Amino acid sequence: MAPFRSLVEERYQKSIEAAKAGEPTAWCVANYSMGDPILMAMGVQTVYPEQYGAVCAAMGTAQEYLKRSADEGFLDFQCGYARNSLGYAAKMTELGQIPAEAPMGGMAKPKLLLGTGATCDGKFKWFQAMARYLDAPLWVLEVPHPAVGESLKEGVAEHNIRFMVEELREFVSFLERLLNKKMDWDRLSQIINDVIELNRVWRQVIELRKARPGPMHMRDFLVCMNASLFLFGDLKAWTEAYRKVYAEVKYRVDNKICGINTEEKYRLIFAQIPPFHSLKFFDDLAERGWNFVIEGSNYHPPIPADYSQFSDPLERIARFSYQFFTGFHEDAFHDKEYMGYFAYPNLGYARDYQCDGALFHALLTCRPATNQLILVQDRLMKKLKVPTLVVQGDLVDLKLFDPESALRQASAFEETMTHYRKVRKEAGLAW
Amino acid sequence: MVVKTQSKGLTRVQEIYQDRPHRARELKAGGKKVMGYMCIYPVLEMLTALDMVPYGILGDIKEPITKADSCLPNMVCPFVRSCLDLGLKGKYDFLDGVALAHTCDVIEKTAHIWHIYLDPSYFHFIDVPHTTHKAAQKQFKELLKDFQKSLESFTGKQLTPPVLKKAIQAHNQQRALVRELYDLRKPDPPLISGTETLKVMVALMSLPVNEGINLLKETIAEVKQRKNGPQKKSARLLVWGSIIDNISLFEMIESLDANIVIDDTCVGSRAYFPDVELTEDPLDGLAHRYLVELKCPRTFREAEIGATKKDYLTDLESRFGYLGEYAKDWKANGVILQALRYCDTHGYEVPGIKDYLNHIGLPNIYIEHDYSEAALAPLKTRVQAFLEVIRG
Amino acid sequence: MTKVVVIDRGGNVISRVIGPTGAEHRHLANKVMEEALQKAALSFNDIFYVVATGYGRINVPFADRQVTELTCHTRGIVSFFPNVRLAIDIGGQDAKGLKIKDGKLIDFVMNDRCAAGTGRFLEVVAATLGLKVEELGSLSLKSTHKVPISSTCTVFAQQEVIARISEGIPVEDIVAGIHDAIASRVVRMARRLKIEPDVVFTGGVAKNIGVAKALEENLGYPVFVPVEPLLTGALGAALLGKEFALKEIEKGEILPKKDRRLEKVTFFDEGDKPK
């Protein structure tokens, strides 16, 4: 897992170097692989203000940027990642250069912004608000979020895919105009194949985590996921790195080596966005034998499918991304669970990874990651007899995170998890 | 349709405002299907064309939220929480189904929660695109076809273009009358207050389109004739922002030295001003109106789609220029920007709108409220001080 | 606290009273008004015009007009400091920033949701330290190593203060830290108004020289404090009242409007009876 650790820092360095050399750079939202392969094929270096929010939180500079965004008139209930980067952009524009304290060398002034309608209104509203400080054009990628039942009706998947493909084609032509260069379609096709393959391998690693004891704790997962979420560098090399991780985890499975240093007493699912500024929290819980064997679906590749029959690379990547949002819809419809992405997959995970409990991070400034948590908590208990512990927190504002209360409740929650093992047995559930 | 002889105009408006479901329940008892919808994106013309009663799902500011806590956290839009709470309490039990749309994250999730916990006989979710790109407009038309198919299968009726066109004409007629009503607010003093207008708009969302048309005609005639309209006040305000579905905020503002003469909110001009163009395939006109013409911050707009150069001021003017036009046409001398706490789509807009209004020299203030009457008292001082600033 | 300022046609203050505030606003307003009249040896009918301001403004039955404290403070402050561009007012319940241009209020920000950053916060801290609020200011001037207080919530800050005491940190350093916490919070809020000098500091907390000093440090500008910072709002109300009265007289109105007065005065006659 070692090579993944330097990945984040390297990305920011590369982007700064590119900006200095006059090469195009972009600030992007996490875009479910819709935009990244295209930017990569066009030679654009990307950074991700969301991820940079987590970086600033961990490095202690987020507070200053949050204050600055408040001074600028942004509202305190809004996304911490957004306010962090708005404060950062305001300061950078005022100084005319990257602020000295900016972690990892900072984010250079971009040539373009890439937002999306996918999963979160902030992902285009926030980037639109950035226009107060940056004169870079913003492209917003469309991604459909069909409801479970509606998506299964005749013809719906087809027009949704057609829509995504047309959108991607428009995005390509926008980039061609902006960068004054033509798309290398062969290169794009190769990149997209690599993206699909990389995610297929990475998904296999995640499947291994069903084993008992869980061979890969969430801390290790979080280190490795970045190469899949945010494309970077040589995709074939990263696929190779995932293969090595697969071998490492497989070895652990075969030898029953646990992903935490103590005995696995409880298997847990975590949702949805972790407190990146305070990950030690999970180490404290690991010492008690809490093994976080799986996380919410937002960081995972979609259920694997074969895309080789589609000759248009844009259609391949559109279908891949669409699969993320709808791949589980038939099961969800069958189970009458109509809340799709971010909700239903967690029920499947809790069942397939045989979780004893769930830990949910209720984020005071992130509605998309919090809206569905109470629903999922209710469904986990009703359908699978799996209890949930909720810890309050925020994406970047350390003051809002309350690990102590969760730790105080830990032993009581252990009793609850133990109790529900019996309940599940009585209900005829498998674990 | 038989409407028994009854009160008219503003008196009728008041009756409906105080007991919204009354008429819908009557119609249902008479065999009509009543279809609930939330926010302004479900296409009402289709419901009307299939002889259903579109019924706007609203909250109740006076009803404490208790049941919604068990499925929607408290850091989301309190209006949406209130709507869901009423649903869970059975207060929308007269609805035959719901047509919901992907307006914002919270309404999207709430739609699915409604589906799971209330299991209505009819449910449809329109996944509205987030941009006005050409491909998005095409996609939206496809989504309307999906909606049409699902309504047809629910009602067992065919929705033919002529029938749909007739419904579009009826809704356009209603919209024209709403604009006429709003024109009565252009004189000084306005002939009808903001509070009264809001009640009319709430009533329209509780009635079939033709009854709404009659109510508007009566109200307009009454307002033109009456002698006891609003008093002249120093401030003529434009109110912008997230949904206002009850009169408490407007009443507070108009208890001060101000008349609200124009709004840009969705129980108001935002939902009712734009017409549907009667295109050969009626779905084209509908798709354009609902995706492109409706101006809710939930949709991404820019001065020129795909422009490779960006100028902040040009962008602001293209997005908010209509507010400047409203202010000019209704002679507004101040703007109240208001949003419900936790409303992300409106919230992100605030600094930009302020930049625009300051640029055109229109005094403005931002206020945030949490859908409770108790929270209005401290806001009153802010609003009053703002009015003193305008007056100079 | 309920305050009354009475001025004459020339704008000279002829009476001033600072009384407590209770739940019974109406009753109190009458009582404090009576006291102010006594001091000036005037009868109620001698008063031409009454402007009520502040949160209790709607509970002053004999007022001719209600004006918010923001406008009244501005008027009062401008009478002392004509070049003021930003006024910071920290009272017991709230904190405000007033942006002033050519003697007029043109924009404002308010914190009325949270006790931190108001006089209430200082009261809590003083009680925790066993001091009087009035002692805090001069005490903090003795500080050599100000301790940062990071909590922005009153309850947590109180706990933080207790923790610092038990660590043996000198009281003056803790108090200086508290003053800095208040000042930085208020300055942060005021930054939305784009700060320009002259800056004037008013309200009950302006009597605390430690907070004034902390404000100067946070702002980077000198801060002017009027002699009676508690009375600027009431004085401004009186000055506005004078302007309104003169305007009405100009229009040919006869002031005071006695018939209306008498009706209001019945509140006095009811004396201590609850409404």
Side-chain angles (χ1 to χ4, degrees), chain B residues 249-265:
Chain B
L249 178 67
F250 278 17
E251 249 184 345
M252 181 272 273
I253 296 171
E254 292 192 324
S255 76
L256 302 168
D257 188 15
N259 283 311
I260 297 168
V261 293
I262 178 71
D263 65 74
D264 176 29
T265 60

Side-chain angles (χ1 to χ4, degrees), chain B residues 365 381-382 384-385 388-389, chain C residues 57 67-68 71 108 110 112:
Chain B
I365 185 176
T381 297
R382 280 171 204 246
Q384 192 176 349
E388 289 164 4
V389 168
Chain C
R57 66 187 181 280
V67 178
T68 64
T71 298
F108 58 89
M110 279 173 88
D112 50 18

Side-chain angles (χ1 to χ4, degrees), chain C residues 201-224:
Chain C
F201 180 26
T202 62
V205 176
K207 287 193 160 181
N208 180 323
I209 186 158
V211 177
K213 193 171 149 251
L215 272 178
E216 290 190 333
E217 282 166 15
N218 275 278
L219 285 163
Y221 293 119
V223 161
F224 300 97

Side-chain angles (χ1 to χ4, degrees), chain C residues 1-207:
Chain C
M1 277 177 275
T2 307
K3 303 123 197 166
V4 175
V5 167
V6 181
I7 59 169
D8 64 16
R9 268 172 205 255
N12 307 304
V13 176
I14 53 177
S15 178
R16 57 167 79 83
V17 175
I18 299 178
T21 299
E24 229 330 325
H25 278 294
R26 280 165 180 271
H27 178 97
L28 255 160
N30 293 358
K31 244 182 125 172
V32 183
M33 186 71 192
E34 271 180 336
E35 201 185 320
L37 290 170
Q38 264 175 17
K39 265 190 162 180
L42 292 171
S43 82
F44 196 67
N45 285 347
D46 296 328
I47 304 292
F48 274 42
Y49 207 92
V50 179
V51 170
T53 189
Y55 283 111
R57 66 187 181 280
I58 50 169
N59 291 316
V60 182
F62 48 82
D64 293 279
R65 192 149 171 174
Q66 297 154 3
V67 178
T68 64
E69 57 272 32
L70 294 100
T71 298
C72 290
H73 275 303
T74 304
R75 189 67 190 80
I77 290 163
V78 167
S79 74
F80 295 122
F81 305 101
N83 295 325
V84 60
R85 296 303 302 273
L86 174 75
I88 289 175
D89 183 274
I90 310 182
Q93 327 282 334
D94 68 1
K96 304 185 251 311
L98 311 172
K99 187 178 174 119
I100 300 168
K101 200 177 171 190
D102 303 329
K104 295 270 187 205
L105 178 68
I106 55 166
D107 202 357
F108 58 89
V109 284
M110 279 173 88
N111 162 26
D112 50 18
R113 283 194 179 173
C114 166
T118 72
R120 175 83 195 119
F121 184 63
L122 285 179
E123 285 169 27
V124 170
V125 170
T128 309
L129 294 169
L131 296 166
K132 287 186 192 148
V133 182
E134 304 84 64
E135 295 171 336
L136 296 177
S138 49
L139 182 66
S140 70
L141 296 183
K142 292 182 196 152
S143 164
T144 48
H145 294 94
K146 174 174 77 187
V147 206
I149 302 289
S150 59
S151 302
T152 46
C153 172
T154 310
V155 180
F156 293 133
Q158 189 181 13
Q159 288 169 0
E160 208 173 326
V161 166
I162 293 167
R164 295 293 161 271
I165 298 170
S166 59
E167 284 166 22
I169 291 176
V171 178
E172 58 266 28
D173 290 343
I174 298 173
V175 175
I178 285 288
H179 290 165
D180 190 62
I182 292 186
S184 70
R185 195 180 168 90
V186 173
V187 168
R188 237 182 74 197
M189 182 177 79
R191 279 201 198 286
R192 292 195 184 184
L193 300 174
K194 306 273 179 274
I195 297 168
E196 287 172 88
D198 295 352
V199 181
V200 175
F201 180 26
T202 62
V205 176
K207 287 193 160 181

Side-chain angles (χ1 to χ4, degrees), chain B residues 15 35 66 70 78 88 125 127 131 143 165 170 176 180 189 224 234 257 266 304 310 355 366 373 382 387:
Chain B
E15 281 170 13
M35 188 64 72
T66 50
S70 63
L88 293 168
F125 177 75
D127 178 35
T131 70
L143 293 168
K165 281 183 185 175
E180 196 180 325
K224 277 180 173 169
S234 315
D257 188 15
C266 54
E304 188 194 336
K310 200 91 179 196
D355 287 343
Y366 170 68
E373 288 184 331
R382 280 171 204 246
L387 299 176

